Amino acid sequence: QVQMAESGGGLVQAGGSLTLSCRPIGSMISRYTMGWFRQAPGKERELVASSGWRGEHTVYADFVEGRFTISRDNAKNMISLQMNSLKSEASGVYYCAAATAYRNAVMGASNYDSWGQGMQVTVSP
Protein backbone atom coordinates (compact mmCIF):
# COMPACT_ATOMS: atom_id res chain seq x y z
CA GLN A 1 0.00 0.00 0.00
CA VAL A 2 1.12 3.54 -0.85
CA GLN A 3 0.60 6.31 1.69
CA MET A 4 -0.73 9.66 0.44
CA ALA A 5 -0.15 13.24 1.53
CA GLU A 6 -3.26 15.20 0.57
CA SER A 7 -3.86 18.95 0.63
CA GLY A 8 -6.25 21.59 -0.67
CA GLY A 9 -9.57 20.79 0.95
CA GLY A 10 -11.64 23.52 2.53
CA LEU A 11 -14.53 25.91 2.13
CA VAL A 12 -15.41 27.62 -1.13
CA GLN A 13 -18.38 29.62 -2.37
CA ALA A 14 -20.66 28.21 -5.04
CA GLY A 15 -19.31 29.10 -8.44
CA GLY A 16 -15.78 29.30 -7.10
CA SER A 17 -12.74 27.12 -7.62
CA LEU A 18 -10.62 24.81 -5.53
CA THR A 19 -7.55 22.70 -6.25
CA LEU A 20 -6.78 19.45 -4.47
CA SER A 21 -3.30 17.94 -4.52
CA CYS A 22 -1.82 14.63 -3.53
CA ARG A 23 1.73 13.33 -3.15
CA PRO A 24 2.30 9.62 -2.56
CA ILE A 25 4.97 8.91 0.00
CA GLY A 26 7.90 6.78 -1.08
CA SER A 27 6.40 5.82 -4.44
CA MET A 28 6.54 7.23 -7.99
CA ILE A 29 3.15 8.07 -9.49
CA SER A 30 4.69 8.04 -12.96
CA ARG A 31 4.47 4.25 -12.84
CA TYR A 32 0.72 3.89 -12.34
CA THR A 33 -2.80 5.27 -12.48
CA MET A 34 -4.05 7.86 -10.00
CA GLY A 35 -7.57 8.99 -9.26
CA TRP A 36 -9.84 11.18 -7.18
CA PHE A 37 -13.01 10.01 -5.46
CA ARG A 38 -15.62 11.74 -3.35
CA GLN A 39 -18.20 10.68 -0.81
CA ALA A 40 -21.15 12.92 -0.11
CA PRO A 41 -23.24 12.53 3.06
CA GLY A 42 -25.54 9.54 2.75
CA LYS A 43 -24.01 8.43 -0.55
CA GLU A 44 -21.46 5.87 -1.66
CA ARG A 45 -17.94 6.75 -2.65
CA GLU A 46 -17.79 7.64 -6.34
CA LEU A 47 -15.14 8.37 -8.92
CA VAL A 48 -14.51 12.00 -9.81
CA ALA A 49 -11.59 11.59 -12.21
CA SER A 50 -8.80 9.19 -13.12
CA SER A 51 -5.48 9.74 -14.87
CA GLY A 52 -3.20 7.25 -16.57
CA TRP A 53 0.47 7.17 -15.85
CA ARG A 54 1.49 9.94 -18.27
CA GLY A 55 -1.68 12.00 -17.93
CA GLU A 56 -2.85 11.76 -21.54
CA HIS A 57 -5.54 9.19 -20.74
CA THR A 58 -8.18 10.57 -18.38
CA VAL A 59 -11.69 9.58 -17.34
CA TYR A 60 -14.27 11.82 -15.65
CA ALA A 61 -17.57 11.20 -13.96
CA ASP A 62 -20.60 12.49 -15.83
CA PHE A 63 -21.35 15.06 -13.15
CA VAL A 64 -18.03 16.80 -13.81
CA GLU A 65 -19.52 18.27 -16.99
CA GLY A 66 -16.20 19.69 -18.15
CA ARG A 67 -15.73 21.75 -14.98
CA PHE A 68 -12.95 19.69 -13.37
CA THR A 69 -9.50 18.79 -14.59
CA ILE A 70 -7.24 16.05 -13.29
CA SER A 71 -3.56 16.55 -13.96
CA ARG A 72 -0.26 15.12 -12.88
CA ASP A 73 3.20 16.52 -12.48
CA ASN A 74 5.31 13.41 -12.45
CA ALA A 75 8.50 15.40 -11.87
CA LYS A 76 7.01 16.64 -8.59
CA ASN A 77 5.32 13.30 -7.91
CA MET A 78 2.00 15.12 -7.55
CA ILE A 79 -1.53 14.59 -8.81
CA SER A 80 -4.05 17.44 -8.73
CA LEU A 81 -7.75 18.05 -9.23
CA GLN A 82 -8.73 21.53 -10.38
CA MET A 83 -12.39 22.13 -9.67
CA ASN A 84 -14.14 25.11 -11.23
CA SER A 85 -17.72 26.40 -11.16
CA LEU A 86 -18.36 24.44 -8.00
CA LYS A 87 -21.92 23.51 -7.06
CA SER A 88 -23.27 22.80 -3.60
CA GLU A 89 -23.68 19.12 -4.46
CA ALA A 90 -19.91 18.89 -4.84
CA SER A 91 -19.59 19.01 -1.05
CA GLY A 92 -18.16 15.89 0.51
CA VAL A 93 -14.99 14.09 1.45
CA TYR A 94 -12.49 13.79 -1.37
CA TYR A 95 -9.96 10.96 -1.54
CA CYS A 96 -6.77 10.59 -3.50
CA ALA A 97 -6.20 7.02 -4.65
CA ALA A 98 -3.64 4.94 -6.54
CA ALA A 99 -4.23 1.97 -8.82
CA THR A 100 -0.73 0.57 -8.82
CA ALA A 101 -1.58 -2.37 -11.08
CA TYR A 102 -2.82 -0.10 -13.89
CA ARG A 103 -1.32 2.30 -16.41
CA ASN A 104 -4.46 3.74 -18.00
CA ALA A 105 -7.33 5.55 -16.31
CA VAL A 106 -9.82 3.23 -14.59
CA MET A 107 -13.18 4.00 -13.04
CA GLY A 108 -13.96 1.34 -10.45
CA ALA A 109 -12.98 1.93 -6.84
CA SER A 110 -12.07 -1.74 -6.52
CA ASN A 111 -9.20 -1.16 -8.95
CA TYR A 112 -7.51 1.24 -6.53
CA ASP A 113 -5.37 -0.26 -3.81
CA SER A 114 -4.02 2.79 -1.93
CA TRP A 115 -6.03 5.64 -0.45
CA GLY A 116 -5.48 8.97 1.21
CA GLN A 117 -7.19 9.84 4.47
CA GLY A 118 -9.69 12.13 2.75
CA MET A 119 -10.27 15.88 2.73
CA GLN A 120 -13.47 17.76 3.44
CA VAL A 121 -14.67 20.05 0.67
CA THR A 122 -17.61 22.29 1.50
CA VAL A 123 -19.30 24.48 -1.09
CA SER A 124 -21.31 27.25 0.51
CA PRO A 125 -24.43 28.68 -1.12
Side-chain angles (χ1 to χ4, degrees):
Q1 188 177 32
V2 179
Q3 292 185 309
M4 312 289 181
E6 300 171 312
S7 63
L11 177 67
V12 64
Q13 291 183 323
S17 299
L18 196 67
T19 299
L20 308 180
S21 298
C22 175
R23 289 175 175 263
I25 305 300
S27 183
M28 296 292 294
I29 66 168
S30 60
R31 299 183 65 187
Y32 47 77
T33 298
M34 297 288 294
W36 290 96
F37 291 78
R38 77 179 183 190
Q39 187 166 21
K43 295 185 177 181
E44 295 183 348
R45 182 179 55 189
E46 60 185 346
L47 176 78
V48 178
S50 178
S51 172
W53 63 336
R54 286 189 285 270
E56 70 273 20
H57 183 221
T58 57
V59 174
Y60 294 91
D62 288 342
F63 61 75
V64 166
E65 299 175 333
R67 297 175 293 111
F68 298 175
T69 301
I70 186 171
S71 62
R72 59 168 65 212
D73 186 337
N74 287 340
K76 295 182 178 180
N77 204 40
M78 182 174 69
I79 192 80
S80 299
L81 181 69
Q82 175 69 48
M83 301 186 289
N84 299 319
S85 302
L86 282 164
K87 302 176 181 179
S88 60
E89 53 262 40
S91 296
V93 178
Y94 284 70
Y95 298 88
C96 175
T100 60
Y102 295 85
R103 300 293 180 267
N104 294 322
V106 290
M107 294 182 291
S110 63
N111 295 314
Y112 292 80
D113 53 85
S114 300
W115 297 84
Q117 74 278 8
M119 299 177 288
Q120 179 67 46
V121 172
T122 301
V123 183
S124 63

